[in-house]
Amino acid sequence: MISPEELQQSLKHFTSTDNYYRHLLSIRHTDGIQYLAQEAQCYWLIDVIASHQTKKLLADQMLKDFQLWLFVAACNHKPSGSQTRNFLAQINCN
């Protein structure tokens, strides 16, 4: 696994994609997300995003085709289960 600084620097180079990767729950992600998942060993992050794709959310054609997600992490802070759920509710597109 590479350092967070190296990962952040590497991710700046992903400005488009040549491939789309299909998740088990039928969402697709780009080369940059695949790189992030491999290098940071965080395939769970794709699982979290896929699990929040509700019928209501996907009824919007624009959100069905394309979404941007912003994640903010606090250094040296591990949220409890309820804090994690609240965080995910804040970033959900509802």
Side-chain angles (χ1 to χ4, degrees):
M1 185 165 31
I2 64 176
S3 73
E5 293 79 18
E6 291 172 315
L7 180 62
Q8 189 173 19
Q9 192 63 30
S10 296
L11 287 171
K12 290 179 182 180
H13 300 287
F14 289 96
T15 57
S16 63
T17 196
D18 292 326
N19 303 293
Y20 290 95
Y21 303 85
R22 187 167 296 281
H23 183 272
L24 185 63
L25 297 177
S26 296
I27 67 168
R28 292 178 297 149
H29 59 277
T30 62
D31 290 329
I33 298 299
Q34 185 68 16
Y35 178 82
L36 173 66
Q38 287 175 342
E39 295 299 322
Q41 299 175 2
C42 65
Y43 286 97
W44 59 267
L45 185 57
I46 300 169
D47 294 340
V48 169
I49 293 170
S51 71
H52 282 77
Q53 302 303 303
T54 63
K55 286 183 182 179
K56 179 181 176 186
L57 178 75
L58 297 176
D60 183 328
Q61 187 63 41
M62 207 156 139
L63 292 176
K64 183 178 180 181
D65 293 339
F66 184 79
Q67 296 178 19
L68 296 174
W69 289 69
L70 173 66
F71 293 91
V72 179
C75 296
N76 300 322
H77 175 71
K78 186 173 183 179
S80 68
S82 63
Q83 288 173 317
T84 302
R85 283 190 297 278
N86 289 339
F87 172 74
L88 290 173
Q90 291 172 9
I91 61 170
N92 200 338
C93 296
N94 290 333

